[in-house]
């Protein structure tokens, strides 16, 4: 809260989703891992194939959070709401585990 009160610009509370990149030897390996990831709830997962044929499967969570807290130095939310955001982000981190 002390840092927020001293902020002169915009401040955003941000929680990034879990991401795991896996280099796969074969496309079939990536497809199998993709199916497992989707079935496990990682709905933003995907496969990419680079120019050199490198196959990367990205396991991505949907657990993200981005909330503005201040604008031009003016705090836009209450301390109680910030505590709620921190609690919510911590729950999302537990779900990632």
């Amino acid at each position: 809260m002390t840092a927020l009160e001293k902020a002169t610009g915009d401040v955003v509370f941000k929680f990034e989703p879990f991401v795991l990149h896996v280099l796969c030897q074969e496309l079939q390996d990536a497809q199998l891992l993709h199916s497992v990831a989707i079935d496990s709830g990682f709905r933003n997962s995907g496969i990419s194939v680079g120019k050199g044929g490198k196959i990367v499967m990205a396991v991505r969570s949907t657990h993200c959070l981005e909330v503005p807290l201040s604008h031009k130095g003016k705090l836009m939310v209450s301390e109680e709401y910030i505590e709620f955001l921190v609690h919510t982000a911590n729950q999302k981190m537990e779900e990632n585990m």
Side-chain angles (χ1 to χ4, degrees):
M1 288 306 300
T2 302
L4 276 174
E5 291 166 1
K6 293 179 182 178
T8 57
D10 295 352
V11 176
V12 176
F13 183 92
K14 191 170 188 180
F15 177 83
E16 295 284 340
F18 168 80
V19 179
L20 172 68
H21 291 103
V22 181
L23 183 62
C24 300
Q25 283 188 317
E26 303 289 333
L27 184 57
Q28 294 82 2
D29 299 331
Q31 289 170 327
L32 176 61
L33 181 56
H34 183 260
S35 294
V36 171
I38 296 296
D39 290 345
S40 298
F42 295 98
R43 296 183 303 250
N44 287 348
S45 299
I47 299 170
S48 62
V49 180
K51 290 180 183 177
K54 184 167 73 169
I55 303 164
V56 177
M57 192 327 202
V59 179
R60 291 189 187 101
S61 165
T62 57
H63 301 298
C64 61
L65 182 65
E66 186 171 353
V67 181
L69 300 179
S70 71
H71 179 65
K72 296 181 181 177
K74 181 181 177 196
L75 189 60
M76 306 300 288
V77 298
S78 68
E79 184 174 350
E80 180 182 9
Y81 186 67
I82 293 171
E83 289 172 4
F84 169 75
L85 290 175
V86 170
H87 177 73
T88 301
N90 286 337
Q91 282 181 316
K92 291 177 180 290
M93 181 64 83
E94 287 296 320
E95 290 173 22
N96 279 340
M97 301 237 181

